[in-house]
Amino acid sequence: MLDQPGFLGTGASLASDLSLLAYIFLIVPIMLIGFFFARRKMFEPHHKLVMTTITIVNWLIIFFLMAVRYLQAAQAAPADSSLILPTIHLAFGGTAQLLATYLVIRMWFENQLPAWFKVRRIKRYMRTTLALWLITAALGIGTYYAWYVAGAASASSAEPVATPEVTPAFIDDSAAPLATPEVSDDAEDDDNGDEDNETENDDETEDEDDDNDDDGPVATAETSP
């Protein structure tokens, strides 16, 4: 169950999801029911059985789930700041479980225990145990959120977004516009030279026509009788 994916969609294991739901909907309500039995002075057997059941279930969850998961995280990153909240959770939970275990032993073996082992004002210890249990449950929910909800969100936001590679589209040469050849300076000079030559030829032709006009009357005068 520690390696199987959970069903809450947070990336946690199946055991972590079941433990979270068990504390919210089962263990914490039973703790409050046990407190109700104690207030009503229903110690035998109601309060005794409720207290014993919660203590045993908590030890099972601690040994087979919480301790394993905490050791894995501590070995992977001993100095990681994400271990601060689980460590506080461990301190409160361990203290609550030790007090609860003592109270359960006291309930079941009241007449067999020596006098030095029995504390006075046992109700004060019971109320302290209940308060520590509730704080531990709240810290457990906070640890679940920090590890599997907020941690997963920050990890996904830190991952770079892959940019798709743009493939150039195939360009059809037949559809491309025809390139206009660039006119060089030499070609422009040749064109200008041709225009000058044509102008000179026109001038020479006009001069020859003028000469012919001048020679015409002279030739006519010589042939007259």
Side-chain angles (χ1 to χ4, degrees):
M1 294 179 67
L2 292 176
D3 297 330
Q4 295 179 1
F7 52 89
L8 296 180
T10 59
S13 64
L14 179 60
S16 297
D17 287 349
L18 292 176
S19 175
L20 175 68
L21 296 180
Y23 268 97
I24 295 176
F25 298 106
L26 185 62
I27 298 178
V28 171
I30 292 177
M31 291 177 183
L32 298 178
I33 292 174
F35 177 73
F36 173 78
F37 287 152
R39 294 286 294 177
R40 297 291 181 179
K41 300 186 182 300
M42 301 170 65
F43 300 107
E44 293 283 349
H46 303 83
H47 181 262
K48 180 191 290 187
L49 293 177
V50 169
M51 190 81 176
T52 304
T53 302
I54 295 175
T55 304
I56 294 174
V57 171
N58 273 334
W59 279 123
L60 292 175
I61 294 176
I62 289 172
F63 281 124
F64 293 102
L65 174 62
M66 296 181 181
V68 175
R69 184 68 184 89
Y70 181 84
L71 290 176
Q72 291 175 350
Q75 292 175 358
D80 194 356
S81 59
S82 62
L83 291 176
I84 296 177
L85 185 59
T87 302
I88 299 174
H89 173 256
L90 174 63
F92 277 91
T95 304
Q97 279 300 109
L98 292 177
L99 284 175
T101 302
Y102 168 80
L103 293 175
V104 168
I105 294 174
R106 175 78 180 270
M107 290 177 183
W108 287 94
F109 303 100
E110 177 71 22
N111 297 327
Q112 289 81 11
L113 294 174
W116 61 267
F117 190 79
K118 301 177 182 179
V119 296
R120 298 179 179 179
R121 300 179 180 178
I122 192 172
K123 290 183 179 180
R124 178 181 301 177
Y125 291 93
M126 288 184 177
R127 293 172 182 173
T128 303
T129 302
L130 177 61
L132 291 174
W133 265 346
L134 295 177
I135 295 173
T136 302
L139 291 173
I141 296 173
T143 301
Y144 181 94
Y145 179 82
W147 276 10
Y148 302 114
V149 179
S154 60
S156 61
S157 62
E159 294 179 356
V161 178
T163 304
E165 183 178 358
V166 178
T167 304
F170 175 76
I171 300 176
D172 189 2
D173 294 337
S174 62
L178 297 177
T180 303
E182 183 179 358
V183 179
S184 61
D185 294 336
D186 295 337
E188 291 180 356
D189 294 339
D190 293 339
D191 293 339
N192 294 331
D194 293 338
E195 291 178 357
D196 294 338
N197 292 331
E198 290 177 357
T199 304
E200 291 177 358
N201 293 332
D202 293 338
D203 294 338
E204 291 177 357
T205 303
E206 291 177 357
D207 292 339
E208 290 177 358
D209 292 339
D210 293 337
D211 293 338
N212 293 331
D213 292 340
D214 293 338
D215 294 339
V218 175
T220 306
E222 290 178 354
T223 57
S224 62

